[in-house]
Amino acid sequence: AARHVWRGPAGAAGRLAGASATAALAGLVATALAATGLFVAGLGPLRVEERQARQLADVVRRTGLQAVYGEYWTCNRLVFETAEEVLCGVLDGRLMPGQNRYRPYWRQVALADRPGYVLVAGGPADRRLRELLGPRAEAVLRAEVGRYRVYHPETAVRPWR
């Protein structure tokens, strides 16, 4: 299009409009390429997080847990990664019922005799569970995966009851 404007019978105004349109198009293409490059470069940390979520789901399944308690995002990701083989009830940092967006999961986990706990290591919920378990905390710790700890106590720890 730019070549046509420069060679054709267009006047100075037409040439200026053609050159401006070409420059704008080139700018848009360059911006799109730069944005795509930045997006692709930023995928590294997302891939690591995705891999860790799959590893956590695999470990939880291998420990035989089908009902666990965890924090909001941990539960969402765990239920998704296990295709609902593992159900999760959301707890807050004090181990009290959290924002459970899907109530049937909460009810099903509440029926489990020995639910597990999947918590961010060193986070408020993890510290509270360790406080409630006391000296038994290390004995019921089943795995540490990335930044998570998987617990499976002999009896349910439900401080809200």
Side-chain angles (χ1 to χ4, degrees), residues 1-25:
R3 222 176 324 140
H4 177 66
V5 168
W6 286 112
R7 290 185 188 164
R15 287 188 182 123
L16 180 61
S20 297
T22 302
L25 182 59

Side-chain angles (χ1 to χ4, degrees), residues 31-83:
T31 301
L33 286 173
T36 300
L38 291 172
F39 176 75
V40 169
L43 288 179
L46 293 175
R47 297 278 187 222
V48 169
E49 184 180 329
E50 186 179 321
R51 186 173 49 253
Q52 287 177 346
R54 281 194 309 269
Q55 289 172 342
L56 179 62
D58 291 342
V59 166
V60 170
R61 278 191 290 233
R62 276 197 308 268
T63 59
L65 291 169
Q66 294 178 324
V68 298
Y69 289 108
E71 287 111 337
Y72 182 81
W73 289 111
T74 305
C75 278
N76 288 343
R77 194 65 188 258
L78 190 58
V79 168
F80 175 79
E81 289 293 337
T82 63

